[in-house]
Amino acid sequence: MSENGKHCCGPGYTSPQEAMRAPREKLLYTVALYTGTGIEAPDYLATVDVDPESPTYSTVVHRTEMPTIGDELHHCGWNACSSCHDDPTKKRQYLIMPGVRTTNLNILDMSDERAPKLHKVISGDEIKAKTNLSAPHTVHCLGSDIIISMLGDAKGNGPGGFLHLDENLDVVGHWENELNGMKFNYDFWYQPRHNMMVSSEWAAPNTFMPGFDLEDVARGKYGHSIHFWDFEGKRVEKSVDLGEEGLIPLEVRFHHDPSSSHGFVAAALSSNVFHWHKNGAGVEIEKVIDVPTVDVPGFPVPMPSLITDILISMDDRFLYFSNWLHGDIRQYDISDPSNPRLTGQVWLGGMLGKAPEVNGRKIYGAPQMLQLSLDGKRLYCTTSLFSTWDNQFYPEMKSKGGCLVQIDCDTEKGGLSINPRFFVDFGQEPKGPSRCHEMRYPGGDVTSDIWL
């Protein structure tokens, strides 16, 4: 029986508060890559045992390979989430795993949580032919349907758009009606009660796929705007140019409370976090966190922290983000969204040399993708950003592999500490060193579930 007295029969939870009371996670999925390593093997989904009472705790217990080599698995998402919790016909059964480089959509049947299997593939050629879109990124369930942000057209030029799949996992076409001058695309999140969707900007696939070139920033080939959408009208209603303070805005996070219009976005290259919310006159946006650059000998410019991922705890109290160049993860209390307060910090690899080893192991890379347990007490972190960027900034990762670590979070007073019992070394995989990126739990998580 749900909190509101209705019988629960769809996927997910009635509310963020109910999600926080869910049983502790026992399995975690992470995408794992051979793309860019020189090893001729497909990327795969790794099932990791995160149950401390299990004899296989902190190890990969299953690998589900994709059918094609060179996908570059990056982000992934469910066919259904808490947005259709009250719909008894829906089930969180399929995980959609896009290949950024091939545009293939690999769809896995997750009925066996420990050993997922391939259900179907929507080929990149089909998507390009039907929609003139390529480079799929963020996947969000949309009630019965699914939308995916696409970063380019069929030839790899911006701005891309949004791919619409129906509940049978077939291509419908473009989701949006108008882009209204949007130059680039990346992440997005929607909040139906406010008729809002917010999207961010990375760059066109032809720009970011070969690697990062600082001159491309000066040439205007990277984004610095975020877009507020009329969600029902499927059109950009207002774009905000964040300028030099907002270079390369990446992950977009709303509060989980569906009645809240507060949200955050981090600008990777400028290393700032912005907060937005609705006021009487419309949407107000402000810079609330600024991570200073650091002068590092041999680095061509003052080194930015490069904020590459952020997330918000299910109770909307804490914001976490990773600094991929500096090498730290930060926890902020955002009870007052306009005045975040730093409450925790740990170091993992990075280019400042502040964490040469973690749990007795050297980190070849730095904190990147984050995933938080539903109760907010365990933060998981992987180290790979994007294959060509990894090879450019952390070349040893190519032969040594990435890793997955777990950080304990103090949800009372604030604070972070690395779990000394947990370390998954993707340098020791059976086919050779791989690297890992986005993570999901079988029962949903803080970066995928949305409430209507």
Side-chain angles (χ1 to χ4, degrees):
M1 188 78 75
S2 68
E3 286 183 338
N4 59 12
K6 295 180 180 179
H7 288 281
C8 298
C9 28
Y13 309 92
T14 55
S15 66
Q17 292 75 27
E18 187 193 18
M20 292 186 73
R21 294 192 288 270
R24 174 179 173 143
E25 72 282 357
K26 294 186 176 181
L27 297 173
L28 175 148
Y29 306 119
T30 180
V31 301
L33 309 178
Y34 281 117
T35 303
T37 65
I39 296 173
E40 287 297 305
D43 298 344
Y44 57 100
L45 182 72
T47 306
V48 178
D49 187 337
V50 294
D51 178 1
E53 304 302 319
S54 167
T56 54
Y57 176 59
S58 184
T59 64
V60 177
V61 295
H62 186 80
R63 298 165 184 86
T64 308
E65 289 191 338
M66 301 303 110
T68 302
I69 293 176
D71 275 328
E72 180 118 27
L73 299 179
H74 195 60
H75 284 216
C76 56
W78 297 99
N79 68 306
C81 72
S82 291
S83 64
C84 38
H85 176 72
D86 289 331
D87 186 341
T89 68
K90 301 298 183 296
K91 185 179 179 183
R92 197 196 301 266
Q93 181 176 358
Y94 299 111
L95 189 64
I96 296 125
M97 304 189 61
V100 177
R101 292 186 184 272
T102 60
T103 308
N104 294 333
L105 298 182
N106 305 285
I107 299 171
L108 303 191
D109 185 337
M110 311 297 284
S111 299
D112 183 343
E113 292 184 346
R114 200 172 181 90
K117 61 183 180 182
L118 184 69
H119 173 65
K120 68 180 283 190
V121 177
I122 304 174
S123 79
D125 289 342
E126 177 187 346
I127 292 168
K128 291 175 183 176
K130 289 182 175 177
T131 66
N132 190 33
L133 291 171
S134 72
H137 192 271
T138 301
V139 179
H140 271 306
C141 148
L142 194 68
S144 60
D145 290 2
I146 297 147
I147 57 175
I148 304 172
S149 59
M150 306 291 287
L151 308 192
D153 65 15
K155 295 183 178 179
N157 302 308
F162 292 86
L163 179 67
H164 181 189
L165 304 182
D166 64 21
E167 61 182 321
N168 297 317
L169 304 171
D170 291 324
V171 174
V172 176
H174 279 251
W175 170 81
E176 78 279 4
N177 290 324
E178 295 176 12
L179 292 172
N180 288 343
M182 195 174 87
K183 292 183 178 179
F184 307 107
N185 201 7
Y186 183 67
D187 192 33
F188 72 103
W189 193 291
Y190 65 92
Q191 200 69 301
R193 292 190 191 179
H194 294 280
N195 189 30
M196 291 177 71
M197 185 173 98
V198 179
S199 65
S200 59
E201 296 186 334
W202 187 8
N206 288 339
T207 299
F208 69 76
M209 282 193 180
F212 179 71
D213 182 348
L214 190 59
E215 293 299 318
D216 282 339
V217 178
R219 297 185 187 109
K221 291 187 173 183
Y222 279 92
H224 43 81
S225 297
I226 64 169
H227 309 281
F228 295 91
W229 290 67
D230 173 349
F231 184 59
E232 293 180 358
K234 303 179 182 179
R235 60 175 61 88
V236 175
E237 193 170 55
K238 178 182 181 181
S239 295
V240 177
D241 186 344
L242 302 172
E244 294 294 318
E245 298 276 37
L247 291 171
I248 315 183
L250 295 179
E251 313 304 330
V252 171
R253 310 298 186 199
F254 263 107
H255 270 174
H256 297 283
D257 177 357
S259 66
S260 170
S261 67
H262 292 269
F264 296 84
V265 63
L269 190 59
S270 299
S271 304
N272 296 321
V273 175
F274 291 83
H275 158 241
W276 73 75
H277 72 288
K278 274 187 172 180
N279 61 21
V283 177
E284 180 178 321
I285 185 165
E286 58 184 342
K287 187 181 76 173
V288 292
I289 299 172
D290 185 342
V291 181
T293 58
V294 176
D295 290 326
V296 176
F299 203 77
V301 294
M303 183 185 288
S305 71
L306 208 74
I307 304 173
T308 48
D309 194 20
I310 66 169
L311 57 77
I312 297 174
S313 61
M314 198 62 87
D315 60 2
D316 295 330
R317 180 182 171 192
F318 290 108
L319 180 144
Y320 298 85
F321 64 78
S322 56
N323 292 311
W324 195 63
L325 291 184
H326 287 185
D328 60 315
I329 299 172
R330 296 185 177 203
Q331 177 199 53
Y332 284 80
D333 187 324
I334 54 168
S335 300
D336 178 355
S338 293
N339 295 287
R341 183 169 58 88
L342 181 63
T343 49
Q345 185 177 29
V346 292
W347 295 88
L348 294 164
M351 302 182 79
L352 299 185
K354 293 192 174 183
E357 290 190 345
V358 172
N359 295 346
R361 315 285 275 276
K362 184 175 180 180
I363 304 292
Y364 301 97
Q368 213 287 117
M369 290 307 293
L370 305 174
Q371 190 53 266
L372 187 64
S373 61
L374 292 172
D375 63 6
K377 295 182 178 178
R378 291 165 300 285
L379 183 71
Y380 296 88
C381 173
T382 57
T383 51
S384 169
L385 174 57
F386 191 70
S387 63
T388 43
W389 294 40
D390 291 343
N391 294 345
Q392 186 175 356
F393 290 94
Y394 295 105
E396 285 185 292
M397 199 190 305
K398 185 175 182 179
S399 59
K400 303 293 187 181
C403 66
L404 168 62
V405 299
Q406 188 248 301
I407 295 138
D408 293 320
C409 308
D410 186 331
T411 57
E412 298 296 327
K413 298 178 181 177
L416 301 175
S417 59
I418 297 169
N419 179 351
R421 291 188 58 208
F422 191 93
F423 190 97
V424 184
D425 185 355
F426 280 81
Q428 303 299 317
E429 286 291 273
K431 290 187 176 179
S434 65
R435 47 190 120 187
C436 42
H437 191 68
E438 194 181 47
M439 298 157 279
R440 296 276 176 229
Y441 303 126
D445 49 64
V446 302
T447 59
S448 60
D449 277 55
I450 292 175
W451 281 267
L452 300 180

